[in-house]
Amino acid sequence: MKNDQIAECFELLADLLEIQGANAFRVRAYRNAARTISSTAESISDFSTQGGDLTEFAGIGRDLAKQIQEIVSTGQHAQLEELKKQVPSGVLDMLRIPGVGPKKVAVFFNELHLTSLDELRAAAEAGVIARQKGFGKKTEEAILKNIQMATEASARISIAEARAAADGIVEDLLKLDGVKQASAAGSCRRRKETCGDLDILVSCDDSDVPMNALAAHPFVSEVLQQGDTKQRVRLKSGVELDLRVVPEESFGAALQYFTGSKEHNVVVRGLAKDLGLKVNEYGVFRGDQQIAGRTEQDVYAALGLPCFPPELRENRHEFALAAAGPLPKLVTLEDIQGDLHMHTTASDGMGTIAEMAEAAKARGLKYIAITDHSKRVSMANGLDASRLRQHWKEIEKVRESISGIEILCGIECDILEDATMDLPDDVLAEADWVIAVLHYGLKQPREQIMKRLMCAVTNPHVDIIGHPTGRLVGRREGADLNIVELLKAAADHRVMMEINAHPKRLDLDDIHAALAKEMGIPIVISTDSHTVNGFDVLTFGVDQARRAGLTCSDVANTRSLKDFRSLLK
DNA sequence: GCCGTTTTCGGCCCGACTGTTTTCAGTCG
């Protein structure tokens, strides 16, 4: 049983209890537990089966520990099954309609006996909704307008799309007369791998200036909401964006507040309360007096806290880190000296060896590894032993003709479904750099997946596991693997782990990368470039590493090539 | 339902916007 499956049970329970009017804090307890479980790297199921004390996890007490044991041992949750019988799934779908929450859904279900989005639509069209107490014509119209959005899965966008939109709009807002400061906030600023919506913060004396500009912005399709300080718009891409306008003396407090995460802010406010202070988006207050708010630094300093990098603000380890001393200095894009995963025209890349090397050099990289596919990946024109050896000779020629950048002869070698390597050991032994990867058979059972990964980790020539889980963000789950076991073996056999920087992969994810760091495994951030522009994605890999709390010393390719080589086995 | 050195009960972050009210509830972030 995967952690996400257990978390899903609790999320569902929370939704169902909410519709039934359960105590809001009880509902929150289920959501908190779901969040803890899905952000834990080790298998909760294994931990429970092996007799571990589940109450060690934050937000899980005696009762929820018992519920987890029930889910793990029986594969289901009796109370959840009971609630599901009482509340049809169509009722839960109603929660996805923007502007409709548990209270309204409760009215639809309990009083109007509506059990699906179709029935709700019919009721709204017949004018039944507007006649309910507390409802009116506008609510009914909003439901009809928004119900379509609930029918379509509300897709989150990748961090790459989010940054392109948010950074572009921020840049344009900064050009306006009267706009003093502007910044992206929210999950985009925290560099989460996907964003559900976008947040932008502006300081300006006249809120009409940025609001009118945003309403007319080429990215924007419609204005959904507009007040004195807050405007909500829908972008042409379908994503919604919140704009907040605050005075200059509150910009830092608002930036802190709207960057979140919600969980981080709950702790910040709790700490403020302990100090007899109040924190809101306008500042830190002692009584009615504002004592901080102009910058984020001021806000955190007023609470005795360091200014956390946004990537760490998830209430995972940041408060413990701050308590232990100065925050670690997280790795930055500028720290990266080499890129060790890329393709050329020899397999499925679009650039030649020389073109890729020149492009990397132009970006200030000091060394690269050319790592084309092995033969199993036939649709990508993967290389067999003889073509690979020929390819390496070509690389050596380019190496001699280009100065200012070192080029390693590498290979991205598939780990086959039968737990053998796609190329013989004597070939791998000749490589400067061997990335082992799973491409096929990702749905094999955990035992076989682990057997394959162990085959790679224990191979004396394998240097690193590339995109270890094989997941595609929002599109495909990774292979069912025991990450703790894999990382232990990697540490024992001096095999590194990749953070694949492509925004569709970002694999390892932040949680797994943090665990790898904890185990002392060197991590390499690689672009997996297939074109000369492919290096652009490096920034997303660095973001993911920062979310994992990684510093320069954790990331092997921040080192010079000489120092990097000393890490190889 | 969780949590705890102002503890085993009584808290649990806080404000903006909208719609339906005429002072507030629901939703959202």
Side-chain angles (χ1 to χ4, degrees), chain A residues 352-397:
Chain A
T352 63
I353 301 165
E355 285 166 347
M356 295 304 280
E358 290 288 0
K361 184 179 153 185
R363 285 163 189 266
L365 293 175
K366 300 287 191 285
Y367 54 96
I368 59 172
I370 301 289
T371 55
D372 278 295
H373 287 290
S374 61
K375 65 183 194 298
R376 173 67 174 86
V377 195
S378 52
M379 67 181 227
N381 195 23
L383 303 162
D384 61 16
S386 93
R387 280 184 64 213
L388 179 57
R389 285 182 163 129
Q390 187 55 41
H391 186 42
W392 283 340
K393 282 187 186 148
E394 296 294 326
I395 293 174
E396 277 163 20
K397 279 189 208 159

Side-chain angles (χ1 to χ4, degrees), chain A residues 247-286:
Chain A
E248 235 181 334
E249 61 271 21
S250 296
F251 188 79
L255 189 56
Q256 192 284 324
Y257 179 71
F258 292 119
T259 296
S261 66
K262 196 170 67 183
E263 292 79 9
H264 174 88
N265 284 351
V266 166
V267 176
V268 167
R269 288 177 180 223
L271 291 171
K273 220 173 161 182
D274 294 344
L275 295 169
L277 303 171
K278 189 177 77 167
V279 180
N280 59 27
E281 56 260 58
Y282 298 107
V284 181
F285 293 85
R286 176 174 286 124

Side-chain angles (χ1 to χ4, degrees), chain A residues 264 267-268 271 300 303-309 312 316-328:
Chain A
H264 174 88
V267 176
V268 167
L271 291 171
Y300 281 112
L303 306 174
L305 293 168
C307 190
F308 296 99
L312 290 184
R316 286 190 191 137
H317 311 295
E318 71 270 28
F319 294 103
L321 279 174
L327 289 179

Side-chain angles (χ1 to χ4, degrees), chain A residues 399-450:
Chain A
R399 195 187 266 169
E400 283 158 23
S401 68
I402 293 182
S403 64
I405 187 157
E406 302 280 345
I407 311 175
L408 303 186
C409 292
I411 179 72
E412 179 179 10
C413 182
D414 260 63
I415 310 167
L416 302 178
E417 289 96 319
D418 65 356
T420 60
M421 299 299 290
D422 195 21
L423 289 163
D425 274 2
D426 63 311
V427 178
L428 297 180
E430 293 169 27
D432 296 324
W433 176 247
V434 176
I435 307 175
V437 295
L438 301 172
H439 278 128
Y440 297 96
L442 291 175
K443 290 190 172 158
Q444 286 181 331
R446 178 185 271 218
E447 294 69 32
Q448 185 61 19
I449 294 286
M450 289 310 292

